[in-house]
Amino acid sequence: ILYKYINANLLAVVTEDIRDNSSALNLYAIDAVTGHIVHQSHIPGGAQPVHLVVCDNWVIMHYRNPKKTRFEIVVMEFFQAKADEGPWDILFAGKAANQTLSAHHLETPVPLQQTYIFPAGVTALGVTATLKGITPRSIIMALTTEQIFHVSKDLLNPRRPYQAPGGGGEKDKTAIPTQFAPTKEEALPRSEEHTSELQSP
């Protein structure tokens, strides 16, 4: 079991640095109650326009990379650094079931991040939702080509297994921690390149 870092007060903020004809984006995940920075990500080459969406325990950002003349999507997902202790505490809840959590005492989450190439500009981002939360979420995008495009959150997953081009034997330095690695039972598509490409219809 992976424990998601759920914080209803999570806020995402982006700033842009422009120096010596080069740009970069800084993506901050901030706790809106305490003002603490939960996580900061520096994205070299990123530039405006930027569109963000925050939902559950993840943040998705679409931006332009003028140096590589393409659009990219970065996804950050947050998990609790907590081991799976089995279902007994869930089935037979004790004192822990009645405890409340304060925003001032939340543990620092474990962030996972991955970048994908996207073939079009975006004018708006949104997230689907159902009444009971049964249907998996999808990201709805209004494209600059006057089209509507949606992609499943399962594809925009930083836990997707990564394989170096050519299947090289050298271990990937950007591999995610073993605790958060996908299992054989999970139907997560493999990323053949570290910066994967999403195709629009």
Side-chain angles (χ1 to χ4, degrees), residues 50-124:
V50 173
H51 294 86
L52 274 174
V53 65
V54 181
C55 183
D56 296 336
N57 66 318
W58 44 267
V59 179
I60 289 178
M61 179 176 70
H62 179 280
Y63 61 94
R64 184 173 60 94
N65 190 328
K67 190 172 183 179
K68 297 182 178 179
T69 62
R70 67 189 186 193
F71 294 97
E72 297 177 350
I73 290 180
V74 63
V75 55
M76 291 194 314
E77 200 158 349
F78 302 103
F79 295 94
Q80 295 184 35
K82 180 179 178 181
D84 179 13
E85 300 175 353
W88 301 112
D89 289 338
I90 299 174
L91 297 175
F92 306 102
K95 296 180 181 179
N98 297 323
Q99 290 181 351
T100 57
L101 291 177
S102 169
H104 294 273
H105 299 95
L106 292 177
E107 295 183 2
T108 303
V110 176
L112 302 179
Q113 178 175 321
Q114 193 167 15
T115 304
Y116 298 90
I117 300 170
F118 195 72
V122 166
T123 58

Side-chain angles (χ1 to χ4, degrees), residues 3-161:
Y3 295 92
K4 296 180 179 180
Y5 176 82
I6 300 297
N7 186 345
N9 305 305
L10 194 66
L11 179 69
V13 177
V14 181
T15 62
E16 184 180 21
D17 292 336
I18 301 177
R19 299 178 183 176
D20 301 328
N21 296 326
S22 64
S23 62
L25 296 176
N26 293 303
L27 175 58
Y28 301 90
I30 302 174
D31 189 317
V33 173
T34 64
H36 294 160
I37 296 177
V38 176
H39 179 65
Q40 175 186 355
S41 180
H42 181 73
I43 304 170
Q48 299 184 52
V50 173
H51 294 86
L52 274 174
V53 65
V54 181
C55 183
D56 296 336
N57 66 318
W58 44 267
V59 179
I60 289 178
M61 179 176 70
H62 179 280
Y63 61 94
R64 184 173 60 94
N65 190 328
K67 190 172 183 179
K68 297 182 178 179
T69 62
R70 67 189 186 193
F71 294 97
E72 297 177 350
I73 290 180
V74 63
V75 55
M76 291 194 314
E77 200 158 349
F78 302 103
F79 295 94
Q80 295 184 35
K82 180 179 178 181
D84 179 13
E85 300 175 353
W88 301 112
D89 289 338
I90 299 174
L91 297 175
F92 306 102
K95 296 180 181 179
N98 297 323
Q99 290 181 351
T100 57
L101 291 177
S102 169
H104 294 273
H105 299 95
L106 292 177
E107 295 183 2
T108 303
V110 176
L112 302 179
Q113 178 175 321
Q114 193 167 15
T115 304
Y116 298 90
I117 300 170
F118 195 72
V122 166
T123 58
L125 283 179
V127 183
T128 60
T130 54
L131 182 63
K132 301 297 183 180
I134 298 175
T135 305
R137 293 190 183 274
S138 293
I139 314 302
I140 304 294
M141 306 180 188
L143 305 182
T144 53
T145 56
E146 298 183 357
Q147 294 173 306
I148 300 296
F149 176 68
H150 82 92
V151 59
S152 172
K153 174 59 180 65
D154 292 338
L155 287 178
L156 294 174
N157 191 332
R159 294 180 59 244
R160 285 175 60 179

